[in-house]
Amino acid sequence: MKVSLKIIALLSFFYLNVLAQSKTTSFSIKEKKPVDLVNVFLGSSGDHGQMSPAASYPFSMLSIGPQTYPKTHTGYEYLAKKFEGFTHNRFEGVGCQGSGGNLFVKPFLGDDPKASELIKSTEKAVPGYYEVGFENKIKASFSVAGNAGKHVYQLPAGKKGIYIDLSYAFNGAFVEEEHVIKNNTISGWIESKTTCSVGKYRIYYYLEIKNNINWEEVANHKFIARLGLAPGSVEVNVALSSVSAEAAKLAINNHSMTEMMSESSAYWNKNLSKIAVNGDLKDAKLFYSLLYRTMQSPYVISDQDGQYRNTKGEVQKDKQIRYNGWAIWDNYRTQLPLLSIIAPDRYAGMVTSIADLYLSGKKDYAGQKEPSNTVRSEHAIVVLLDAYRKGYPVDFAKIADSLEKEVKGLDYKSPDKALESSYDNWAMAEIFKILKNPQKVEIYKNKALEYKKYWNKDFKDMSKRDVDQMQARGLYQGTIWQYRWFVPYDFKGLVALDGGEESYLAKLDEFFARDLYNHANEPDLQVPLMYNITRQGYKSQYWMHQLAADTVIQNYFNDNSRGIGSYIGKIYRNQPDAYLRTMDDDAGAMSAWYIFTASGFSPACVGWPVYYLNVPLFPSVTYHLPDGKTFKVETENFSLKNKYIKQVFLNGKPFNKNYITQDDINKGGVLKIVSSANPIKVSATENWISSIE
């Protein structure tokens, strides 16, 4: 009897221990906040994402972050010990050596800011907050809420001050500035070159130091605010505006650092909670760290009274919030479609803002009077078509002439540009269908069909020696192998060009078997989904899972060499060197790819509200939609070994399609995916395939 009791007690102990362990290794949104899982240092080291741990706020043009030496595109390097100071904007995850870095601030000890070194001793950061301690006993902390932010510095006794450089910007991008100093404030505007130095942007700012100070001008655009000798804290309030320094002043937030941190954390949590995953805690941490990156741009440029500046520099006013800061050529494939589901109110304003570009002189990159930092906007026409078909209002009649002008000026000089331009011509034809103009539908449909001529010339014969060389034949990025699949609007025509399904599948198999797929860049990002248009859709299910969560072999180097070693391992890792070498997040594009894959559905062709299915990376993923609706994806037989779809049910009924639509998602309900470790090689699903006809 005593032995039995001991065994029962021992079993109870083991049960409780296992239960305790399971609670610590699993995640439920009912028990823990998503904001607490975010690792803001993911992708902040080397050329592995080009992200920063700066204090930020969803879609805010203001982010306060450190400038380190050495630095990456965002001004920060995780491994760096030496800090130069702090700046108030950056474009997360983009190329061309980054941009931003305006309004430079450095706390210092002694008489000379240059002689006062900031060497990191401690550091921590969470969404909306960043702090760092230095060997000289200075401690700095920052928080952001909306387009307003706060600095708090703890400074030891002795001579000290705050150095401000209004001419600081990444890569020498500063153009000019005007400022006014009054009492303990400095305000004005700063103009700098945009990403890739193509255009210019102007930001207005207001900065106040909440201490007694004496100003000293040390050089053009450079100032020192001298502080007293006593030890203590210094508080700095700052705000940005696209309209005026006066508007920035009105945006100043006088809450305490604790209150601002709480406000920012709560709002981040509200946004991150729009997708609730249940499953492994480690995987949930990666998921929410990446979801965080999809919500940092584009930027709100509207002030509280509805005023904003357009890309002509003109002051406008509207009830609908306006946005700027585009990386559309990168993130039209993933980040913008994700926002169309999880942030419909914001997305409506983003769509209107993109349409506005055509009213104020849209450029592929940037104009000379941008209201915020920005990158590029190719395929904006495709985004507008996609948004319209998802139920967002777009006044195509109002901008039709400008859309036509853009499409008529497209470039066909290189093989990649020919395919990219054909995509926009297809979108133009589809828009003229909406406008009920059959004559112009035919014109632009036929223009889009010309892709076949370019495809046959450069992409049909894969026996040439240069087909796996970066930038061969004038390609901007990618290889002939990687670009040959870029006909998302006419998969049916592509299969025919490639000699039929058997030949098409043979080339697709060869592409992956030879490790020619490149996840470090976007040109072939849709290719893992392209088995879905054949009877071998299970291979898409395999590759989506493999690329998101398992070991892969990747070859991609900016020097075009494949002879200095391949990368073997996972692409998505929750660490500072998170991504592949040379892989940028590109304003949330690569993060959003993972979010979609982890959720079990991904965009099939931007321009159509269609998503191909795969087995999710969590037992359940729930999208919280407007009006209290939810769209839940459940996985039966969940295991990371079960990569294949055996059966699908939508709201309890058999679902015989390999895709869902935006309408299916928006209606809410439960999509149940029955997974299997073995591929289902004979499937009777209805397969979605794009066709220009």
Side-chain angles (χ1 to χ4, degrees):
M1 184 68 177
K2 288 181 180 179
V3 174
S4 298
L5 287 173
K6 284 183 178 180
I7 292 172
I8 292 170
L10 195 60
L11 288 172
S12 298
F13 171 78
F14 280 124
Y15 173 76
L16 291 171
N17 191 43
V18 169
L19 191 64
Q21 287 181 4
S22 67
K23 284 186 177 181
T24 60
T25 58
S26 64
F27 171 79
S28 169
I29 203 168
K30 295 177 182 178
E31 299 171 0
K32 201 173 181 71
K33 294 179 180 178
V35 71
D36 294 332
L37 273 58
V38 174
N39 174 15
V40 299
F41 292 101
L42 185 156
S44 65
S45 183
D47 199 353
H48 294 273
Q50 306 294 1
M51 295 179 269
S52 85
S56 69
Y57 193 79
F59 308 105
S60 173
M61 64 196 293
L62 171 68
S63 66
I64 309 177
Q67 301 302 121
T68 65
Y69 178 81
K71 67 179 180 69
T72 62
H73 294 13
T74 59
Y76 175 86
E77 162 57 52
Y78 178 77
L79 297 175
K81 292 290 187 182
K82 184 178 179 180
F83 280 49
E84 296 180 336
F86 306 93
T87 57
H88 293 77
N89 64 339
R90 67 219 71 242
F91 212 136
E92 299 283 351
V94 299
C96 284
Q97 301 302 307
S99 63
N102 296 133
L103 195 55
F104 177 92
V105 174
K106 177 184 179 179
F108 69 94
L109 303 181
D111 291 313
D112 184 2
K114 292 181 181 177
S116 181
E117 281 198 334
L118 299 175
I119 307 300
K120 178 172 67 175
S121 59
T122 63
E123 181 180 38
K124 72 175 185 178
V126 294
Y129 178 77
Y130 175 86
E131 75 170 48
V132 60
F134 299 109
E135 289 181 357
N136 63 4
K137 307 305 179 185
I138 291 178
K139 182 180 177 183
S141 57
F142 311 90
S143 190
V144 173
N147 281 339
K150 185 180 294 290
H151 306 215
V152 173
Y153 300 109
Q154 301 292 333
L155 301 164
K159 290 184 178 181
K160 51 188 169 290
I162 295 175
Y163 171 72
I164 298 174
D165 184 354
L166 302 178
S167 63
Y168 189 98
F170 295 156
N171 311 312
F174 171 74
V175 178
E176 59 180 323
E177 63 92 9
E178 284 187 4
H179 65 271
V180 174
I181 291 178
K182 184 177 181 182
N183 299 324
N184 62 338
T185 70
I186 185 167
S187 61
W189 55 262
I190 301 172
E191 198 168 274
S192 302
K193 296 174 186 176
T194 58
T195 313
C196 306
S197 298
V198 177
K200 295 195 293 270
Y201 68 96
R202 177 181 289 187
I203 57 168
Y204 295 83
Y205 68 92
Y206 186 88
L207 183 149
E208 62 179 6
I209 301 173
K210 306 290 281 186
N211 295 68
N212 292 325
I213 58 170
N214 292 308
W215 288 104
E216 179 183 325
E217 185 172 359
V218 293
N220 285 341
H221 320 297
K222 300 175 177 65
F223 306 87
I224 289 175
R226 297 283 182 186
L227 299 163
L229 298 176
S233 65
V234 178
E235 185 176 307
V236 179
N237 287 331
V238 64
L240 300 185
S241 167
S242 75
V243 176
S244 67
E246 292 76 17
K249 180 179 179 180
L250 292 173
I252 287 287
N253 187 328
N254 284 302
H255 291 166
S256 69
M257 177 65 82
T258 301
E259 289 171 328
M260 188 175 282
M261 285 174 58
S262 178
E263 179 183 344
S264 189
S265 179
Y267 193 64
W268 270 116
N269 193 63
K270 179 181 178 182
N271 282 271
L272 294 166
S273 297
K274 290 181 177 180
I275 308 179
V277 301
N278 281 284
D280 181 78
L281 178 60
K282 183 179 177 182
D283 293 337
K285 287 180 177 180
L286 175 61
F287 181 92
Y288 285 112
S289 297
L290 295 173
L291 182 60
Y292 167 77
R293 294 297 176 181
T294 70
M295 300 180 183
Q296 291 187 292
S297 63
Y299 313 123
V300 172
I301 57 170
S302 294
D303 288 331
Q304 293 176 352
D305 63 358
Q307 288 196 101
Y308 64 95
R309 286 187 188 269
N310 64 16
T311 52
K312 283 184 177 178
E314 301 165 334
V315 176
Q316 307 281 310
K317 188 173 183 178
D318 194 12
K319 292 179 180 178
Q320 190 176 47
I321 294 173
R322 292 302 200 277
Y323 296 81
N324 195 58
W326 306 110
I328 296 175
W329 186 80
D330 295 315
N331 59 26
Y332 81 93
R333 298 166 169 86
T334 51
Q335 186 240 12
L336 292 177
L338 181 67
L339 295 181
S340 79
I341 300 172
I342 65 174
D345 289 345
R346 284 193 179 276
Y347 198 66
M350 293 175 192
V351 170
T352 301
S353 301
I354 293 171
D356 283 350
L357 295 176
Y358 288 94
L359 300 174
S360 56
K362 176 184 172 295
K363 308 289 184 183
D364 277 351
Y365 273 78
Q368 298 303 307
K369 294 185 178 181
E370 296 287 340
S372 75
N373 194 4
T374 192
V375 185
R376 55 196 301 182
S377 60
E378 294 100 320
H379 295 317
I381 185 173
V382 176
V383 174
L384 293 176
L385 172 64
D386 187 70
Y388 178 86
R389 284 177 164 161
K390 291 174 176 176
Y392 290 94
V394 182
D395 189 349
F396 284 122
K398 191 175 181 180
I399 59 173
D401 290 346
S402 296
L403 291 170
E404 264 199 290
K405 182 180 178 181
E406 179 179 63
V407 170
K408 286 178 179 178
L410 291 170
D411 187 355
Y412 292 80
K413 292 176 184 175
S414 58
D416 56 334
K417 288 182 183 287
L419 297 187
E420 297 271 3
S421 297
S422 298
Y423 195 3
D424 283 8
N425 273 285
W426 167 77
M428 190 78 260
E430 296 298 307
I431 288 168
F432 276 121
K433 283 183 186 177
I434 294 165
L435 293 174
K436 296 181 170 53
N437 188 329
Q439 290 82 12
K440 289 195 172 180
V441 169
E442 283 303 304
I443 290 171
Y444 289 102
K445 175 184 169 184
N446 289 333
K447 186 67 177 172
L449 281 167
E450 288 182 13
Y451 86 84
K452 296 183 178 183
K453 174 180 69 176
Y454 297 103
W455 198 93
N456 281 324
K457 175 179 176 290
D458 278 300
F459 299 104
K460 190 175 186 70
D461 182 1
M462 301 306 291
S463 65
K464 296 180 181 179
R465 292 184 62 185
D466 66 350
V467 293
D468 64 348
Q469 293 176 13
M470 290 290 294
Q471 300 176 325
R473 306 182 207 177
L475 296 174
Y476 171 58
Q477 291 180 350
T479 66
I480 293 293
W481 260 110
Q482 289 156 6
Y483 253 106
R484 81 186 305 268
W485 315 101
F486 191 75
V487 192
Y489 46 90
D490 192 23
F491 285 155
K492 187 174 182 180
L494 176 63
V495 171
L497 283 176
D498 215 8
E501 186 169 307
E502 291 297 330
S503 177
Y504 169 85
L505 282 169
K507 284 289 191 294
L508 203 51
D509 286 344
E510 181 183 356
F511 182 65
F512 285 105
R514 291 177 55 196
D515 303 310
L516 296 168
Y517 172 76
N518 165 26
H519 201 75
N521 210 359
E522 282 85 0
D524 58 355
L525 207 58
Q526 79 288 351
V527 183
L529 292 165
M530 291 180 64
Y531 285 103
N532 279 307
I533 66 176
T534 74
R535 65 187 186 282
Q536 294 183 8
Y538 63 90
K539 291 182 180 178
S540 279
Q541 296 158 25
Y542 171 85
W543 278 111
M544 294 300 283
H545 184 283
Q546 197 74 14
L547 291 162
D550 215 329
T551 296
V552 294
I553 300 172
Q554 291 280 279
N555 300 295
Y556 173 77
F557 304 103
N558 282 341
D559 63 2
N560 304 334
S561 169
R562 297 186 65 211
I564 58 175
S566 303
Y567 171 79
I568 303 173
K570 288 186 178 182
I571 295 173
Y572 290 92
R573 297 167 294 168
N574 191 7
Q575 58 194 48
D577 54 339
Y579 292 161
L580 306 172
R581 184 162 67 88
T582 76
M583 177 174 164
D584 299 343
D585 187 43
D586 284 326
M590 308 309 285
S591 292
W593 185 94
Y594 179 92
I595 298 302
F596 270 124
T597 305
S599 300
F601 56 94
S602 297
C605 169
V606 179
W608 290 111
V610 176
Y611 302 85
Y612 285 129
L613 300 177
N614 64 272
V615 176
L617 301 181
F618 294 90
S620 74
V621 182
T622 303
Y623 279 63
H624 291 277
L625 308 171
D627 303 321
K629 293 181 181 178
T630 60
F631 181 72
K632 185 176 185 180
V633 184
E634 292 181 343
T635 307
E636 188 174 299
N637 303 329
F638 178 80
S639 167
L640 291 180
K641 295 179 180 180
N642 295 348
K643 305 176 183 180
Y644 302 101
I645 297 175
K646 184 177 182 180
Q647 202 171 2
V648 181
F649 297 87
L650 181 61
N651 297 324
K653 298 179 180 178
F655 190 73
N656 195 37
K657 299 177 181 178
N658 73 344
Y659 67 95
I660 56 171
T661 66
Q662 188 100 349
D663 191 47
D664 292 328
I665 296 168
N666 289 342
K667 285 177 181 176
V670 178
L671 183 76
K672 184 167 78 172
I673 294 176
V674 182
S675 66
S676 170
N678 301 310
I680 311 304
K681 294 188 175 182
V682 179
S683 173
T685 58
E686 175 190 323
N687 294 354
W688 187 84
I689 180 168
S690 61
S691 173
I692 209 165
E693 302 294 345

